[in-house]
Amino acid sequence: MNLLLTVTLVLYFIGVVDSILYFAFRRSLFSTIAMGSVGLGFLTHTTVLAIRASQTGHGPYTNLFEYALFFSWAIILVYLAVEGWYRLKPLGPFVVPIGFVILLSALVLPHEITAPLSNNPFWLTLHRTLSLLGFGALAVTFGVGVMYMIQERQLKSHQMGLFYHRLPSLDILDEINSKSVFFGFLLLTTGFVAGSLWSIQKSGSFFSWDPVKTYPLLIAWLIYATLFVGRFNLGWKGKRPAILGVFGFVAGIVLHWIHIS
Amino acid sequence: MNHNTADVGLRERLHFSPSQIPGALELLQAKYPSVQEKVILSTCNRVEIYASLYDDLEGIHNLKEFFYRFHEIPDGSLENSLYLYELEKAVGHLFRVSSSLDSMLVGEPQILGQVKKAYEVARDHHATGRVLNQLFEKAFSVAKRIRTETGIAENAVSVGYASIELARKIFGTLEGKSIMLIGAGEMIELASRNLLSSGIQTVFVSNRNFARAVELAETLGGNAIRFDNLEYELDRFDIVISSTGAPRPIVKKSIVEKAMQERRNRPMFFIDIAVPRDIEPEVNQIENVYLYDIDDLEKVTESNRREREREGLKAEEIVISEVHRFLSWLDSVEAFPTIAALRDQAEVIRKAELEKTLARWKGLTDEERRSLENLTSSIVNKILHAPTVNLKQQKENNEKFSYLAAIRHLFNLK
């Protein structure tokens, strides 16, 4: 499994480098290599997850190592879906590195198998699966948010640099922001409901109001709730959702870290 | 000869009109047999003849002579304006021409169609053969490759194109977008033509003189709006171009802010080509609003120019690698016809001489005939063996072609 994990990392690394090379030089060879290696890496990554699940006998999220394994998988999954749908080659350098770095962190985390949680882990598993898939979508929100902010800056300032020619239109970036926030937030929310149900089963209350366990998640959720409502109820477009999408993901990563550790 | 070597007057004189080209090709065919295959490319910026020659020196001489005679110009009077490329330089030149790298406005799309047309005319008049067919087909695929793999065609350099490109970076596609023109002068008509040819369907014109607005709207296939209603209608438009003679800004920040609320923040793109400006510069501060004045557009154009130069370098690399590919193909086909022709000729001579001899010697047995046959064959083969092998092994193109030319010349091969 460790060998496969290393292979996955190497493939993602090639993907990161070549997608950046494509972005800089726009030679189709680079994007072909980038897409090929990320796609192949995703297959080996999936195999790693499957092997791990067969070893532990449950979904891969009982410790930080498994968290990182699954979270990076979710990011690449959503990235490949968006790339396949929109054919947006410049997206690679803004999303693939996130998945790569998170998977890289798995290497240094302890690998030993923790005993599975005994009391009805169904809701807990669902909570973690959905939340992480939601965060995977929000990683793409982050990526297109960064792209939007750069492109918007160029267009507003009238100073056209290299990025102006290489980044796609604001319109498409805003559309992907909208779609990824929609799905990401819904998954995240469903995940939270599942987490609450698990909490009710475990301790009998809806929220345990543990300041370390609950608040971070609530804050991250509130940021995305603001973005969601702003987008779909108040008609926010463009820069504001882009900034919130970037901010929400950074805050989400930090807060999530506090939550799970 | 092209726009770099000859001025407009000269280019006009040497131009081949489409109706002249078939006749010119036939004339070349009939009077200058050393020119084996030929294509005449004549556009407003260049007059070029692409040819594959039986004999380099004679062919080049013939081509020039043809050029002078056809246009009735004294021999040798154009030497400074003509250029002559051979082999890889010629191949590379055609690749560059077709990909618009050699154009006056690099990246302009018309040239490829013109080259295609020139080739088709020549092909239909049986003026091309194996070499030029392959060369031109290759040139078209190189042009296509450069168009798709580099941004050379994307970054048009004029101000009009710069605004289309900006609009595309903001809106993605321009299909279904609506545009408002404030003012009805010549400048605005010119500026809007580019945008209108790129997919925008809805166009409105607003002008202080309403009759003039109606007039321009009609020529552009749009509608007119009364000048006083401008601020109430503004929210319906994605793109606004303004060019009036007003001394003070007529589109104020507050008006645009109101329009943006109506639009629920959908982006707006303002282009102000008036001097003094028609649109308050503060409009650019509003979220999702992009305002460009004439100086800003110039800056974008400048950036496009730089980007295009970078793309040009990339395109140049593609040209060089494709030239090498073509030459190695040429290499593989070119040697064999000459060798075959040489062997054929030797065989014809051998047979003829053998027959003469056999006709005189009546009393030969079959065996003696056969051994005479074998003797002559082996003499011919032995003599031709070394040149055949050497020709096939010759790797350096330039040398190889001079060898081939020498052999054709020495043995009177056609």
Side-chain angles (χ1 to χ4, degrees):
Chain A
M1 197 188 79
N2 268 341
L3 176 71
L4 264 185
L5 183 60
T6 316
V7 170
T8 307
L9 274 167
V10 170
L11 285 168
Y12 284 168
F13 183 70
I14 296 172
V16 169
V17 171
D18 275 272
S19 62
I20 292 171
L21 285 174
Y22 174 76
F23 191 81
F25 301 109
R26 290 199 286 191
R27 269 165 229 243
S28 52
L29 177 69
F30 290 135
S31 78
T32 312
I33 298 175
M35 284 313 294
S37 48
V38 174
L40 223 70
F42 184 71
L43 291 182
T44 56
H45 197 161
T46 311
T47 317
V48 172
L49 276 178
I51 293 173
R52 183 73 180 184
S54 73
Q55 283 172 351
T56 58
H58 56 77
Y61 356 85
T62 39
N63 58 20
L64 274 180
F65 168 73
E66 293 176 351
Y67 247 88
L69 210 59
F70 186 73
F71 186 26
S72 52
W73 183 83
I75 292 173
I76 300 295
L77 173 75
V78 179
Y79 162 73
L80 287 173
V82 173
E83 172 72 49
W85 186 262
Y86 287 100
R87 306 251 156 240
L88 204 67
K89 286 179 186 170
L91 184 63
F94 297 88
V95 179
V96 180
I98 309 171
F100 171 72
V101 167
I102 291 172
L103 189 62
L104 194 65
S105 72
L107 266 193
V108 296
L109 292 167
H111 284 32
E112 68 268 17
I113 293 164
T114 333
L117 294 142
S118 49
N119 63 341
N120 199 357
F122 174 75
W123 292 113
L124 182 63
T125 309
L126 196 67
H127 159 67
R128 287 173 173 170
T129 310
L130 294 178
S131 308
L132 285 176
L133 279 175
F135 261 117
L138 294 169
V140 170
T141 314
F142 168 83
V144 293
V146 172
M147 291 162 88
Y148 191 99
M149 284 160 71
I150 298 172
Q151 186 68 300
E152 200 263 356
R153 195 66 242 134
Q154 304 244 320
L155 284 165
K156 274 278 190 198
S157 67
H158 309 147
Q159 302 292 336
M160 307 314 185
L162 284 175
F163 281 99
Y164 166 70
H165 298 285
R166 282 159 181 72
L167 286 170
S169 71
L170 294 180
D171 182 71
I172 185 114
L173 295 173
D174 195 48
E175 188 187 325
I176 298 175
N177 173 289
S178 164
K179 296 254 161 68
S180 58
V181 165
F182 183 80
F183 288 111
F185 182 73
L186 284 189
L187 283 167
L188 206 62
T189 308
T190 325
F192 279 9
V193 173
S196 309
L197 288 174
W198 175 70
S199 171
I200 290 170
Q201 282 193 339
K202 205 182 97 182
S203 53
S205 72
F206 184 67
F207 273 128
S208 44
W209 293 119
D210 174 345
V212 185
K213 279 218 121 174
T214 317
Y215 282 120
L217 274 191
L218 204 63
I219 296 166
W221 186 82
L222 277 175
I223 296 172
Y224 281 116
T226 314
L227 172 51
F228 190 84
V229 170
R231 258 225 99 101
F232 298 105
N233 292 60
L234 306 176
W236 289 0
K237 276 192 182 60
K239 195 178 172 186
R240 222 177 294 180
I243 293 175
L244 269 179
V246 172
F247 177 65
F249 188 71
V250 174
I253 290 275
V254 175
L255 294 169
H256 213 87
W257 201 258
I258 298 172
H259 167 73
I260 53 185
S261 45
Chain B
M1 176 211 62
N2 66 14
H3 54 90
N4 288 324
T5 63
D7 62 19
V8 186
L10 193 53
R11 295 205 301 272
E12 273 167 5
R13 270 180 70 196
L14 299 180
H15 185 67
F16 291 85
S17 69
S19 59
Q20 284 176 323
I21 288 179
L25 289 169
E26 273 158 30
L27 184 70
L28 262 171
Q29 190 94 356
K31 286 190 80 177
Y32 303 102
S34 67
V35 183
Q36 188 181 9
E37 304 174 33
K38 52 254 156 195
V39 170
I40 299 176
L41 172 67
S42 183
T43 74
C44 43
N45 285 327
R46 67 184 67 247
V47 178
E48 292 175 343
I49 301 177
Y50 293 88
S52 140
L53 310 170
Y54 280 116
D55 178 309
D56 289 359
L57 284 176
E58 196 190 336
I60 289 163
H61 180 75
N62 284 344
L63 276 177
K64 281 187 183 165
E65 194 179 291
F66 159 78
F67 212 66
Y68 289 125
R69 298 283 148 81
F70 191 88
H71 292 294
E72 292 164 357
I73 293 167
D75 281 6
S77 58
L78 293 175
E79 290 302 310
N80 292 333
S81 301
L82 296 180
Y83 45 80
L84 174 73
Y85 299 129
E86 290 175 69
L87 282 171
E88 64 244 57
K89 288 219 174 102
V91 174
H93 181 72
L94 177 63
F95 288 179
R96 264 175 223 113
V97 169
S98 322
S99 328
S100 186
L101 292 171
D102 197 56
S103 298
M104 204 186 246
L105 185 70
V106 173
E108 55 97 359
Q110 285 92 350
I111 184 68
L112 181 59
Q114 292 166 333
V115 177
K116 273 189 177 149
K117 183 85 195 141
Y119 165 65
E120 277 159 16
V121 169
R123 195 192 53 198
D124 294 346
H125 287 82
H126 310 289
T128 64
R130 189 145 64 140
V131 175
L132 287 194
N133 285 345
Q134 176 80 9
L135 176 66
F136 276 80
E137 293 300 337
K138 191 80 204 166
F140 303 146
S141 72
V142 171
K144 199 172 154 223
R145 204 182 140 198
I146 287 176
R147 205 147 275 272
T148 50
E149 287 182 26
T150 75
I152 199 131
E154 287 168 27
N155 309 310
V157 284
S158 75
V159 167
Y161 278 109
S163 40
I164 294 183
E165 192 198 22
L166 283 165
R168 290 220 171 100
K169 288 288 184 190
I170 295 168
F171 299 110
T173 170
L174 298 185
E175 296 285 327
K177 296 286 177 277
S178 52
I179 187 169
M180 152 100 92
L181 310 178
I182 306 175
E186 204 178 321
M187 269 294 276
I188 203 149
E189 193 179 338
L190 277 175
S192 61
R193 288 245 180 238
N194 278 324
L195 277 160
L196 288 172
S197 62
S198 59
I200 291 175
Q201 276 117 18
T202 322
V203 63
F204 278 76
V205 183
S206 179
N207 192 42
R208 246 182 233 289
N209 176 346
F210 189 64
R212 177 75 191 109
V214 173
E215 201 181 305
L216 178 61
E218 266 166 19
T219 61
L220 296 174
N223 299 297
I225 286 185
R226 292 206 176 271
F227 198 71
D228 299 332
N229 292 343
L230 191 67
E231 64 179 282
Y232 309 107
E233 307 270 359
L234 197 62
D235 61 284
R236 290 165 52 194
F237 299 98
D238 303 295
I239 302 171
V240 177
I241 307 183
S242 191
S243 175
T244 74
R248 260 181 294 282
I250 46 178
V251 177
K252 303 236 161 53
K253 191 183 177 191
S254 57
I255 298 173
V256 180
E257 271 171 343
K258 223 168 67 201
M260 282 307 281
Q261 273 176 3
E262 296 287 328
R263 290 172 61 78
R264 287 180 66 86
N265 293 315
R266 276 182 296 126
M268 281 185 95
F269 178 29
F270 287 85
I271 302 166
D272 186 354
I273 49 177
V275 180
R277 288 178 290 185
D278 282 344
I279 301 170
E280 279 188 345
E282 290 77 23
V283 164
N284 195 43
Q285 295 161 2
I286 304 171
E287 212 174 301
N288 298 328
V289 174
Y290 302 90
L291 165 65
Y292 280 75
D293 65 26
I294 192 77
D295 285 1
D296 299 328
L297 288 174
E298 279 297 340
K299 272 192 267 175
V300 177
T301 304
E302 187 48 44
S303 152
N304 284 346
R305 221 171 265 141
R306 283 194 302 271
E307 179 67 11
R308 177 167 285 188
E309 274 161 25
R310 280 191 289 268
E311 295 295 335
L313 291 179
K314 206 163 95 185
E316 198 55 40
E317 282 175 32
I318 295 179
V319 166
I320 289 167
S321 77
E322 294 286 356
V323 166
H324 280 284
R325 264 204 237 172
F326 179 77
L327 287 178
S328 58
W329 172 82
L330 194 60
D331 216 26
S332 65
V333 299
E334 186 70 351
F336 300 117
T338 305
I339 294 171
L342 185 61
R343 288 191 160 274
D344 282 350
Q345 192 182 37
E347 186 64 16
V348 168
I349 295 170
R350 185 187 71 84
K351 280 220 169 107
E353 295 303 313
L354 189 65
E355 231 125 84
K356 267 195 245 166
T357 308
L358 291 177
R360 264 184 280 135
W361 280 3
K362 295 285 184 207
L364 289 175
T365 62
D366 277 0
E367 198 179 328
E368 282 164 334
R369 280 169 179 270
R370 258 202 304 281
S371 52
L372 257 183
E373 183 103 15
N374 288 342
L375 172 72
T376 50
S377 286
S378 87
I379 291 173
V380 167
N381 282 338
K382 288 257 159 72
I383 290 175
L384 289 185
H385 177 74
T388 308
V389 170
N390 286 335
L391 263 183
K392 280 185 179 167
Q393 281 176 349
Q394 202 60 49
K395 280 281 172 279
E396 275 299 313
N397 268 315
N398 283 327
E399 270 183 42
K400 176 179 207 157
F401 281 87
S402 43
Y403 270 116
L404 288 170
I407 284 176
R408 286 202 212 100
H409 190 72
L410 288 174
F411 290 92
N412 273 334
L413 298 175
K414 272 289 165 232

